[in-house]
C-alpha cells in the first residue's frame, strides 16, 4: 500500500497547486488482506481520487489506459517476486508513451564466506542437515562475511518491455578471482533499480541507498563449502527458469571444484506464477 499512498499524496499535491488537469489513481491489488488495508485508507483525504481494484493486474481490464504505472514488486534479488512477469502482463494497461516506475532493475552476485549463516542452514533440521536446505535462496542480513571479489551484475529487466517476444528466462556465467584462502559458502545477491530517469534505489554494497532497510540481501548456498586459494578462479552459472506455472533459480559452481546444479528443475525452491 505504501507506493499507492505516496501516489495519492502526489495527486493531492498536484491539484493543490492549481492544476486543472484531472488526475485519477487506480490501486490494483490481488492480496485480500492488502485490499482491506487500502479500503481502510479511503478515510484519508489523500485517497479521494483513488479507486481500489480487487484484482490481479495481469487480468484486470481498465476503463482507461494509464500514463504512469507505479509498482512495488521488487525483491532482494530484484526479480525474485515476479516483477518481470507481473509488469509484462500489466503493460497493456499503459498508454503507448506511458511510464513504468521502476523502469529498470538489475540483480547482482558476489561469492562470499559466511560461516554463521551457513551453520544456521546446517542446523535448520533437528534430525541433521537436510539436502533441500541448500537448494533455496535465503533473505539474510549479511554480517561478518568475506566477499572474495567485486560484486558483478547478473540479470537486468526493463519496462515497458518492447521485445518482440517476451522471455524472462535468463542465464549467465560469472567469473571471480579470490584474493585470500578461505571457504566459499555461497553467493550473495543484491539489486538496484532505476525508478525514473536518474532516481535510483539500491542494496548494492557500493551504492546502497542511505537508511533503506526494506530489503536485505539474498544468499544462495553451496551444498559443499569449497576451499578457495589466492588467485584461484571462482566460476558459477546462474539460471532464471520460467515455465507455464512457476519461476525458479538454478546455480552451479564449476571452479575451483565442480558441484551439481542446485535446485535443478525447481525441485525445492520456486515462485508460483498464479499463487
Amino acid at each position: 500500500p505504501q507506493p499507492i499512498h505516496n501516489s495519492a499524496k502526489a495527486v493531492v499535491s498536484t491539484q493543490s497547486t492549481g492544476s486543472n488537469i484531472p488526475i485519477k489513481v487506480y490501486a490494483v491489488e490481488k492480496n485480500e488482506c492488502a485490499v482491506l488495508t487500502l479500503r481502510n485508507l479511503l478515510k484519508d483525504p489523500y485517497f479521494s481520487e483513488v479507486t481500489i481494484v480487487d484484482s490481479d493486474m495481469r487480468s484486470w481490464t481498465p476503463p482507461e489506459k494509464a500514463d504512469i504505472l507505479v509498482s512495488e514488486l521488487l525483491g532482494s534479488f530484484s526479480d525474485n517476486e515476479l516483477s518481470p512477469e507481473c509488469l509484462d502482463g500489466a503493460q497493456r494497461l499503459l498508454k503507448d508513451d506511458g511510464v513504468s516506475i521502476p523502469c529498470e532493475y538489475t540483480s547482482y552476485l558476489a561469492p562470499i564466506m559466511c560461516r554463521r549463516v551457513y551453520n544456521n542452514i546446517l542446523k535448520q533440521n533437528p534430525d541433521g542437515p537436510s539436502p533441500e536446505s541448500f537448494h533455496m535462496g535465503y533473505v539474510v542480513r549479511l554480517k561478518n562475511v568475506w566477499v572474495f571479489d567485486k560484486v558483478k551484475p547478473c540479470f537486468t529487466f526493463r519496462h515497458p518491455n518492447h521485445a518482440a517476444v517476451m522471455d524472462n528466462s535468463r542465464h549467465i556465467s560469472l567469473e571471480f578471482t579470490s584474493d585470500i584462502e578461505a571457504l566459499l559458502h555461497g553467493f550473495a545477491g543484491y539489486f538496484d533499480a532505476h525508478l525514473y530517469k536518474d532516481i535510483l534505489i539500491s542494496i548494492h554494497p557500493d551504492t546502497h541507498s542511505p537508511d533503506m532497510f526494506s530489503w536485505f540481501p539474498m544468499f544462495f548456498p553451496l551444498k559443499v563449502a569449497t576451499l578457495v586459494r589466492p588467485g584461484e578462479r571462482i566460476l558459477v552459472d546462474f539460471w532464471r527458469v520460467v515455465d507455464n506455472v512457476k519461476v525458479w533459480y538454478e546455480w552451479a559452481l564449476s571452479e575451483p571444484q565442480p558441484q551439481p546444479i542446485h535446485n535443478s528443475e525447481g525441485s525445492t525452491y520456486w515462485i508460483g506464477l498464479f499463487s
Side-chain angles (χ1 to χ4, degrees):
Q2 189 60 44
I4 305 302
H5 189 264
N6 292 340
S7 299
K9 290 175 68 175
V11 170
V12 173
S13 176
T14 300
Q15 292 181 335
S16 66
T17 61
S19 170
N20 292 321
I21 300 174
I23 299 175
K24 190 163 189 178
V25 176
Y26 292 95
V28 186
E29 176 58 67
K30 72 171 186 175
N31 183 294
E32 293 180 0
C33 294
V35 169
L36 291 174
T37 301
L38 288 172
R39 286 176 176 160
N40 188 55
L41 287 173
L42 288 175
K43 302 171 186 176
D44 191 319
Y46 284 131
F47 273 71
S48 61
E49 300 296 332
V50 176
T51 299
I52 309 298
V53 179
D54 183 0
S55 178
D56 188 318
M57 66 169 70
R58 295 169 293 181
S59 58
W60 179 53
T61 301
E64 55 200 321
K65 289 198 172 185
D67 296 289
I68 303 173
L69 177 61
V70 181
S71 62
E72 200 292 277
L73 297 164
L74 296 173
S76 295
F77 198 49
S78 86
D79 56 86
N80 59 296
E81 294 187 6
L82 304 187
S83 182
E85 286 72 24
C86 291
L87 292 182
D88 286 352
Q91 188 167 299
R92 60 190 178 77
L93 307 180
L94 267 179
K95 293 179 180 178
D96 292 341
D97 59 348
V99 173
S100 175
I101 299 175
C103 57
E104 179 179 315
Y105 40 90
T106 299
S107 56
Y108 296 85
L109 286 167
I112 63 172
M113 177 179 68
C114 52
R115 183 177 299 277
R116 183 174 181 180
V117 175
Y118 198 79
N119 285 343
N120 285 340
I121 294 173
L122 288 171
K123 296 175 183 176
Q124 280 190 111
N125 189 339
D127 298 324
S130 169
E132 290 79 11
S133 299
F134 296 95
H135 294 268
M136 61 181 66
Y138 297 85
V139 177
V140 184
R141 185 178 183 183
L142 294 174
K143 300 174 67 177
N144 301 321
V145 304
W146 180 264
V147 182
F148 285 86
D149 200 353
K150 291 182 179 179
V151 178
K152 294 189 176 182
C154 191
F155 307 136
T156 296
F157 297 88
R158 297 179 179 88
H159 302 284
N161 182 354
H162 297 298
V165 178
M166 292 186 183
D167 181 4
N168 292 319
S169 58
R170 298 285 191 275
H171 169 249
I172 194 168
S173 298
L174 294 173
E175 177 179 331
F176 304 90
T177 302
S178 175
D179 58 356
I180 66 166
E181 180 173 308
L183 280 176
L184 171 65
H185 291 116
F187 295 84
Y190 309 94
F191 84 94
D192 65 22
H194 290 271
L195 301 182
Y196 180 68
K197 294 185 177 179
D198 61 347
I199 300 175
L200 179 79
I201 59 172
S202 172
I203 65 167
H204 187 298
D206 296 338
T207 58
H208 199 294
S209 301
D211 301 321
M212 189 176 75
F213 303 104
S214 300
W215 297 271
F216 291 146
M218 288 282 287
F219 175 61
F220 297 95
L222 292 174
K223 186 175 181 180
V224 179
T226 301
L227 180 64
V228 184
R229 295 181 170 85
E232 282 191 324
R233 296 195 307 171
I234 299 170
L235 297 183
V236 65
D237 284 89
F238 255 78
W239 294 265
R240 185 183 197 269
V241 190
V242 183
D243 68 12
N244 292 330
V245 295
K246 63 184 184 294
V247 176
W248 69 93
Y249 300 104
E250 299 178 4
W251 58 100
L253 184 72
S254 55
E255 289 189 27
Q257 294 294 329
Q259 294 192 27
I261 294 175
H262 292 65
N263 196 40
S264 178
E265 301 297 326
S267 58
T268 301
Y269 168 60
W270 50 271
I271 311 102
L273 286 170
F274 306 104
S275 58

